[in-house]
Amino acid sequence: MTLKTLSFTSKIVLVSVLLLSCNKNGATGLFDGFSKNNTGINMVPNPTKFPPLSKTYKGSKKEAIERFFHKYWPNQNSNVSFLVAKDGEIIYENYSGLANLRKKTPISAETPIHLASVSKVLTATAILKLVNNGKLALDQKVTTLLKGFPYPEVTVRTLLNHRSGIRNYGYFTFEKGVWDKHKTFTNNDLVKVMVSKKITLEFKTNTRFSYCNTNYALLALIIEKVTGESYRITMKKMIFDPLGMTHSFVFNYDTDRPNVTPSYKANNREIGFDYLDAIYGDKNIYSTPRDLLKFDLARNSPDFLTPELRSEIYKGYSNEHKGIKNYGLGVRMIEWETGQKFYFHNGWWHGNMTSYVMLKNENVSIIALSNKCSKNVYKVRNLAPLFGDYPFKGIEEEE
């Protein structure tokens, strides 16, 4: 049997086994930087084994999903990468439209698309792995990690769950006299500007929830502080390489702009870069649905995190909108009175719109990525009732 004849799921398992073997044998390469910095992070979990899905089951689900896909993305003007999988088996996937309109490059299974705020899930995962391995504490004060950080009560946890009270950099840098928008704003500028311009908190830390990109840009800086590596290199070593996410990377503003998949408005007008496009952690990861499926399988493996830490991820911290909508540690959730919970994260940056749905009880992954502005991407949550009891009527879609 050759590698080409293996199923996609088998390839995932094979990559995990091979990488585990390399690590056990002391091979160098993937974790060189971490051994030098004494982090000892191993991202490769033991793959969970599932019985194969029956042809009848897969066929019935595929038919319904295919109808859904063609309803919302009916033609080649619909730019989307789309995948639905259960137990690691892909039930349906489709890649439609153009990655680059000028070059007429089609979107394929190997086309990396900007994840926008879905990047937060991966940033949170790197932080949680550092916590899991004793290199960081959830309730550690950020003042102990970032020199000059001006908010003494903010912790790693309140960054993860958006209860820090910190203002969104997209707003305060736009205010007169705070930042010259002809200059690129970077993660390293965050703390400097907060101090020099006396940026106040929006509210007292840990008194309420406010979704804020700044939180995750700061978490990226914390990752760099703890590992001694850049966020880009750390994510490659900790997540992308070990999990075989060969089409995933952190965008480098200085070198990648000519090569990445552009984003477009609904009228096909290309959206250029602006002064906030160098910020990472809250955004700026490019990936594919197949790579995110590998990530999802790893993240749900029983040995990925300790049970205690795993429970912290899916605990609701925000309770906004009468408690129906909630936020954990890098994951959005919807909670119904029946006890049913729906976990997901959406994203929107420029024309890139993304949705990553995790049906934990059914072990289903639903992923839709688009480089063209269309809220149809967020409608993939309506596929959840195919697999479980998920009542969505009347719930507003949001990022």
Side-chain angles (χ1 to χ4, degrees):
M1 180 180 290
T2 66
L3 185 61
K4 289 183 178 180
T5 62
L6 291 175
S7 68
F8 177 73
T9 306
S10 299
K11 289 177 183 177
I12 294 174
V13 174
L14 178 60
V15 167
S16 299
V17 171
L18 288 173
L19 286 168
L20 280 168
S21 300
C22 289
N23 289 333
K24 288 178 180 177
N25 292 333
T28 60
L30 292 179
F31 298 97
D32 283 353
F34 296 104
S35 60
K36 290 176 183 176
N37 289 293
N38 195 33
T39 61
I41 306 302
N42 186 347
M43 280 295 299
V44 185
N46 291 313
T48 304
K49 295 181 179 179
F50 300 100
L53 302 175
S54 71
K55 290 184 178 180
T56 302
Y57 178 90
K58 290 178 69 174
S60 63
K61 300 300 182 187
K62 179 179 179 180
E63 184 178 345
I65 297 167
E66 190 167 30
R67 286 198 305 268
F68 172 91
F69 180 88
H70 289 296
K71 175 181 178 180
Y72 291 107
W73 298 287
N75 54 57
Q76 286 300 308
N77 290 322
S78 307
N79 290 13
V80 66
S81 296
F82 175 75
L83 179 152
V84 179
K86 177 174 170 57
D87 298 343
E89 287 190 51
I90 296 175
I91 296 175
Y92 181 82
E93 61 181 332
N94 205 325
Y95 303 90
S96 176
L98 295 175
N100 190 305
L101 296 182
R102 287 179 288 105
K103 297 179 180 179
K104 305 299 181 185
T105 309
I107 291 175
S108 73
E110 299 179 348
T111 302
I113 290 176
H114 195 299
L115 296 185
S117 284
V118 172
S119 301
K120 291 181 174 70
V121 183
L122 286 85
T123 299
T125 298
I127 287 286
L128 291 165
K129 288 300 289 185
L130 291 169
V131 172
N132 196 76
N133 285 269
K135 309 303 176 183
L136 193 61
L138 273 179
D139 294 311
Q140 186 169 349
K141 296 289 183 67
V142 176
T143 51
T144 68
L145 296 159
L146 301 181
K147 186 177 180 179
F149 187 74
Y151 314 118
E153 299 306 314
V154 174
T155 64
V156 173
R157 188 193 300 268
T158 58
L159 293 178
L160 285 167
N161 62 22
H162 296 294
R163 294 180 64 85
S164 70
I166 295 173
R167 295 178 60 201
N168 195 319
Y169 65 77
Y171 300 146
F172 69 71
T173 59
F174 200 76
E175 294 172 356
K176 185 177 181 180
V178 173
W179 187 258
D180 179 358
K181 286 173 280 298
H182 295 97
K183 294 170 54 181
T184 303
F185 190 71
T186 71
N187 292 62
N188 290 326
D189 294 316
L190 275 171
V191 176
K192 295 176 186 177
V193 170
M194 288 170 174
V195 173
S196 65
K197 300 300 180 180
K198 296 181 172 57
I199 305 299
T200 59
L201 292 175
E202 183 181 357
F203 53 85
K204 185 179 178 181
T205 299
N206 207 28
T207 58
R208 64 183 177 90
F209 168 87
S210 181
Y211 183 85
C212 177
N213 289 330
T214 312
N215 293 324
Y216 276 73
L218 291 167
L219 286 169
L221 287 176
I222 290 172
I223 289 170
E224 293 180 333
K225 174 66 176 179
V226 173
T227 64
E229 302 266 23
S230 71
Y231 173 80
R232 185 175 71 256
I233 292 174
T234 298
M235 297 303 284
K236 177 176 170 61
K237 288 184 176 181
M238 281 182 64
I239 298 182
F240 305 148
D241 283 353
L243 300 184
M245 297 172 67
T246 54
H247 300 288
S248 300
F249 60 91
V250 175
F251 173 69
N252 185 324
Y253 182 83
D254 294 325
T255 61
D256 291 340
R257 279 177 289 168
N259 304 315
V260 294
T261 305
S263 69
Y264 300 93
K265 294 183 178 181
N267 63 3
N268 290 332
R269 182 178 178 182
E270 184 172 335
I271 301 174
F273 296 99
D274 63 36
Y275 75 104
L276 297 178
D277 274 303
I279 297 281
Y280 49 78
D282 59 324
K283 61 180 186 306
N284 269 347
I285 291 178
Y286 282 71
S287 191
T288 67
R290 287 190 172 196
D291 273 6
L292 286 178
L293 175 58
K294 294 175 185 178
F295 170 77
D296 199 42
L297 288 171
R299 199 166 181 268
N300 291 323
S301 297
D303 60 342
F304 186 76
L305 297 170
T306 64
E308 295 79 15
L309 188 55
R310 184 188 299 275
S311 68
E312 295 292 329
I313 299 174
Y314 301 104
K315 182 189 299 182
Y317 292 89
S318 65
N319 295 305
E320 79 272 30
H321 301 289
K322 299 181 180 179
I324 295 174
K325 297 178 181 179
N326 222 319
Y327 201 96
L329 302 182
V331 62
R332 284 195 181 274
M333 60 184 76
I334 298 173
E335 301 174 304
W336 291 279
E337 292 181 356
T338 60
Q340 178 67 293
K341 296 183 179 182
F342 174 80
Y343 302 101
F344 72 105
H345 212 297
N346 290 343
W348 186 352
W349 182 251
H350 295 328
N352 304 292
M353 304 189 77
T354 58
S355 188
Y356 167 43
V357 172
M358 307 151 258
L359 305 184
K360 285 177 77 266
N361 292 338
E362 297 80 15
N363 200 40
V364 169
S365 311
I366 304 172
I367 301 159
L369 313 176
S370 179
N371 65 331
K372 185 175 180 179
C373 194
S374 170
K375 288 190 176 182
N376 282 349
V377 166
Y378 300 156
K379 296 184 185 298
V380 298
R381 67 175 58 187
N382 295 326
L383 287 169
L386 278 175
F387 302 97
D389 182 18
Y390 295 97
F392 283 107
K393 186 175 181 181
I395 294 180
E396 180 185 356
E397 296 165 345
E398 64 173 351
E399 190 219 347

